[in-house]
Amino acid sequence: MKKLLCPQCKIAAMYVKNAQGERLLVYVSDSGEIVPRKPEESMEGFDLSEVYCLGCSWKGMPGRMVKR
């Protein structure tokens, strides 16, 4: 799996949030699928329509990320 990169700072580490504001670390695959950093973690209850970059202030839809 190739990971998409943040269009602003070019890192692959992202996170998603749930209604309580909790974060889950994720990657976005080159096919646009959001994958948890640790495969055993559940993404249930997290909003997968928007991802946030760990390295800068960018946020957006996974489809707006860039390929390596």
Side-chain angles (χ1 to χ4, degrees):
M1 169 188 80
K2 288 193 175 193
K3 300 170 190 160
L4 295 182
L5 304 176
C6 169
Q8 189 167 312
C9 70
K10 309 297 187 242
I11 68 167
M14 299 283 156
Y15 65 91
V16 291
K17 291 183 179 179
N18 65 11
Q20 291 79 32
E22 298 169 324
R23 297 177 177 188
L24 176 67
L25 297 177
V26 298
Y27 296 114
V28 180
S29 73
D30 55 348
S31 63
E33 179 183 0
I34 298 175
V35 180
R37 191 181 111 209
K38 296 179 182 175
E40 67 274 5
E41 294 181 323
S42 172
M43 293 190 299
E44 186 176 331
F46 285 89
D47 179 10
L48 304 180
S49 66
E50 190 165 50
V51 293
Y52 301 84
C53 179
L54 281 174
C56 68
S57 61
W58 185 85
K59 70 176 182 175
M61 297 182 334
R64 295 184 44 215
M65 298 174 69
V66 295
K67 293 184 180 183
R68 288 185 177 206

